[in-house]
Amino acid sequence: MHDLVIRGGQLVDGTGSAPVSGDLAIDGGRIASVGGRAGAGRREIDASGALVTPGFVDIHTHFDGQVTWDAHLSPSNGHGVTTAVFGNCGVGFAPARPSERVWLVDLMEGVEDIPGSALSEGIRWSWESFPEYLDALDAGRYAMDVGAQMPHGPLRTYVMGERGVANEEATERDIAEMSRLTREALDAGALGFSTSRVLIHKSKSGELVPGTFASRDELFGIGRAIAQAGHGVFQLTSIHASLHSEYAWIEELARTLGVTVQFNLQQADAAPEQWREVLAMIERAQAAGSRVFAGIAGRPAGLLFSWRSSLHPFFGYPSWREIAGLPWHEKLARLRDPAFRARMLAQRPRDLGEFANFMTRSHHKMFVLGDAPEYEPDPSTSIAARAEARGCSPESMLYDAMMADDGTALVYFPVFNYANGNMDHLVTLMRSEATVLSLGDGGAHCGVICDASLPTYMLTHWARDRARGERLPIEFVVRRLTHDTARSYGIGDRGVLAPGLRADINIIDHAGLRLNAPRMAFDLPTGARRLVQWADGYVATIVAGVPVRENGIDTGALPGRLIRAQR
């Protein structure tokens, strides 16, 4: 008898082939057969009318700290993710001397908006070197497999101390040591190396991520370590406005060293057509044999504004600063006071800087999210448009929208990928072989972004519900979430339903699949806040042949392990 048989589902195998009806059998944590009629199983799951897909591989998360206290890695576990890769954007927690731990928490809190109190309380430190960090992860048991990358920020701090934190230029000796430690991490099983060159990526104390201005010699020195190790991705979080100048060394690094380079690509309002030029450059590089890829998102990178968010449109108002430190019930009482409302709306906000001003004052890009969240809203429903129709100021319309649901309502602001008021350009990006789905940021941006639900969104919006443009075939969407993401990191034992491969499986009621509205929870260590979003419609998520969630409930099983990359 088979260990587990999934009966009569629509098999969407991850290769891009059309769905077929049949059974799937599992033995010893591996897929035994796909299609046709399987023999009896010790346990059988009826998948009639449901999709059966490979488990989703999320290559851009920030669970570096959460993985040490949360074996389920929520909320990604609620969206069919069976493999999570972290250590992105140049931030993480290894290597780290005991004296550097506080600084690394400060860095992660500033860059990724993960409450420092939760990290300080929750992380179970038991390592200094990166191989020791991997050993600590290897000792854990999880509801999904996990993989880690060597982040530039901790590496530079470990090697250069205060000079690294201050982003001073690395010496030849510094570069040699960073290269040695990167090679050591890769040999121990790291999946890659990551760095950030984004000027808004700062620690809570205001320092840019170490490595933001790293020289060509430093970047290529580390790149050579990846080439020598024979595996690993060079992951880069890039500045959208300067991608043209950055791209030259990115492509050169991939071409001359033969390494895989992946950098983020999104549509920015300041240059809404630049993505076309960059995509064309990547496609030319790939045609010439270079392994360059753009990490893209399947929806806008969207902020969720509320009175309890890390940032909202009234953040710079004097009246908000008066009440910002009050307990929630007192703050809410003040916000409900008509006199307080009138006083705030009569004020002018202070200057928060160019990017923050753009996010907090662009009312034409603000939308009430609602209970059935819409991430491709019609511009005619924006706060600005609704205010014009009512004959009031957008600020007053926004204030009242945020006061709904006892002051917990969310207002959606698509920062990137919405310059044209739709997501048509994402169809081109997603159909290109030069791109890979990324940027879900599971575990990060706890107080203002909640994009870990991207796998579910891909299945609902793009493969079923989209009303304002082209939809995508379900087999295409599944391939992008499974085979393509797994292969982009050289993880070849999963991502496809095929005999002998790892039995990471999702069983999905596609017709009933639904994204719930995000909500603010206070369930991190120390009761710290985070935005969470769950979904209905996942019949089961299976890791290594073991169901870890059934009908939205954790089973308690923890078959997930650390992935150690191999040459």
Side-chain angles (χ1 to χ4, degrees):
M1 295 181 72
H2 296 295
D3 292 342
L4 176 64
V5 173
I6 301 169
R7 292 276 182 208
Q10 289 291 307
L11 302 171
V12 188
D13 68 5
T15 67
S17 298
V20 296
S21 297
D23 299 345
L24 186 145
I26 297 170
D27 288 314
R30 298 278 170 178
I31 298 172
S33 66
V34 182
R37 176 75 180 178
R42 293 181 180 86
R43 182 184 174 190
E44 299 193 1
I45 298 176
D46 181 5
S48 301
L51 303 178
V52 179
T53 77
F56 304 143
V57 179
D58 191 337
I59 60 174
H60 194 106
T61 78
H62 291 279
F63 288 122
D64 310 67
Q66 185 176 330
V67 70
T68 70
W69 76 74
D70 175 16
H72 296 283
L73 296 181
S74 65
S76 292
N77 63 325
H79 298 282
V81 175
T82 56
T83 302
V85 177
F86 41 80
N88 290 285
C89 301
V91 292
F93 298 109
R97 299 179 182 86
S99 61
E100 295 160 351
R101 294 172 179 174
V102 173
W103 150 247
L104 294 180
V105 167
D106 185 76
L107 181 64
M108 184 68 82
E109 180 174 15
V111 173
E112 300 300 339
D113 189 25
I114 305 173
S117 60
L119 294 170
S120 298
E121 177 71 20
I123 296 177
R124 301 184 179 99
W125 297 93
S126 61
W127 62 84
E128 178 172 319
S129 70
F130 199 89
E132 288 170 345
Y133 177 60
L134 293 181
D135 289 343
L137 297 179
D138 209 2
R141 299 293 178 263
Y142 315 102
M144 64 183 72
D145 275 10
V146 299
Q149 301 174 92
M150 165 71 91
H152 202 173
L155 173 64
R156 211 171 196 266
T157 302
Y158 190 81
V159 171
M160 298 175 61
E162 288 300 323
R163 292 186 299 114
V165 171
N167 271 295
E168 294 183 15
E169 187 166 346
T171 66
E172 288 185 12
R173 180 176 295 182
D174 295 330
I175 295 170
E177 181 63 3
M178 283 189 275
S179 179
R180 183 188 72 80
L181 292 174
T182 300
R183 175 65 189 275
E184 178 184 75
L186 293 164
D187 288 346
L191 297 180
F193 163 86
S194 73
T195 189
S196 171
R197 299 175 77 79
V198 179
L199 299 182
I200 61 171
H201 277 183
K202 297 180 181 180
S203 73
K204 185 180 178 183
S205 305
E207 297 95 345
L208 288 162
V209 177
T212 300
F213 306 110
S215 67
R216 181 187 182 281
D217 287 346
E218 182 174 343
L219 297 168
F220 276 66
I222 293 169
R224 277 189 286 274
I226 299 175
Q228 292 162 4
H231 73 268
V233 172
F234 190 107
Q235 190 272 327
L236 165 72
T237 301
S238 50
I239 305 172
H240 301 294
S242 59
L243 263 176
H244 280 100
S245 59
E246 291 279 280
Y247 181 78
W249 72 259
I250 291 171
E251 196 279 327
E252 183 186 357
L253 188 147
R255 173 172 46 81
T256 61
L257 299 182
V259 303
T260 300
V261 182
Q262 184 188 121
F263 65 95
N264 303 346
L265 178 61
Q266 303 200 72
Q267 181 196 49
D269 284 32
E273 295 302 313
Q274 179 179 249
W275 65 271
R276 294 184 187 277
E277 303 167 35
V278 176
L279 182 64
M281 291 190 291
I282 302 170
E283 290 175 340
R284 287 194 295 270
Q286 286 194 353
S290 296
R291 289 188 55 79
V292 182
F293 294 88
I296 63 168
R299 74 182 189 210
L303 303 185
L304 299 179
F305 293 142
S306 77
W307 296 116
R308 296 198 280 192
S309 296
S310 301
L311 178 71
H312 59 70
F314 295 100
F315 213 70
Y317 284 65
S319 289
W320 173 256
R321 296 202 301 274
E322 292 175 13
I323 67 170
L326 295 178
W328 170 241
H329 69 280
E330 294 183 29
K331 191 181 298 180
L332 182 59
R334 297 286 295 277
L335 289 166
R336 284 173 168 161
D337 181 355
F340 181 88
R341 175 186 182 276
R343 183 157 59 90
M344 181 182 281
L345 292 177
Q347 295 170 345
R348 291 183 61 84
R350 63 187 172 92
D351 185 1
L352 298 175
E354 182 179 1
F355 192 55
N357 287 343
F358 161 68
M359 293 186 290
T360 57
R361 302 180 188 180
S362 300
H363 300 106
H364 68 288
K365 290 190 70 176
M366 296 180 191
F367 304 87
V368 176
L369 193 64
D371 290 331
E374 172 58 75
Y375 295 94
E376 192 177 13
D378 192 301
S380 66
T381 65
S382 72
I383 292 292
R386 292 172 62 185
E388 183 178 5
R390 184 183 290 184
C392 65
S393 72
E395 290 83 3
S396 63
M397 175 66 70
L398 179 63
Y399 190 107
D400 294 343
M402 291 173 62
M403 289 304 298
D405 298 327
D406 292 325
T408 65
L410 294 170
V411 171
Y412 169 60
F413 182 87
V415 183
F416 299 116
N417 288 331
Y418 218 62
N420 300 326
N422 60 59
M423 298 192 295
D424 290 347
H425 73 287
L426 286 180
V427 176
T428 302
L429 283 169
M430 287 190 288
R431 287 193 178 279
S432 172
E433 295 300 317
T435 69
V436 61
L437 277 177
S438 181
L439 305 178
D441 275 336
H445 302 295
C446 299
V448 76
I449 297 176
C450 191
D451 285 345
S453 59
L454 274 170
T456 304
Y457 185 74
M458 295 296 300
L459 297 172
T460 53
H461 184 78
W462 287 107
R464 191 190 67 195
D465 298 338
R466 190 173 189 234
R468 296 183 59 215
E470 179 183 351
R471 297 178 188 172
L472 298 171
I474 187 65
E475 58 268 26
F476 174 82
V477 170
V478 169
R479 175 173 72 85
R480 295 301 260 161
L481 289 167
T482 58
H483 171 278
D484 293 358
T485 47
R487 296 308 183 276
S488 73
Y489 268 79
I491 309 172
D493 66 342
R494 65 199 67 198
V496 172
L497 302 182
L501 294 189
R502 184 176 170 86
D504 293 348
I505 312 292
N506 281 313
I507 305 173
I508 304 166
D509 173 11
H510 193 217
L513 191 62
R514 178 181 182 272
L515 261 183
N516 298 324
R519 62 179 180 83
M520 193 70 78
F522 296 83
D523 58 356
L524 291 176
T526 71
R529 69 180 175 183
R530 63 169 179 160
L531 283 161
V532 294
Q533 186 175 28
W534 300 103
D536 300 322
Y538 285 93
V539 178
T541 296
I542 297 164
V543 173
V546 179
V548 294
R549 275 179 76 86
E550 296 190 63
N551 298 311
I553 299 173
D554 294 325
T555 66
L558 300 173
R561 301 291 186 267
L562 170 73
I563 302 169
R564 288 189 188 265
Q566 297 180 350
R567 189 178 182 86

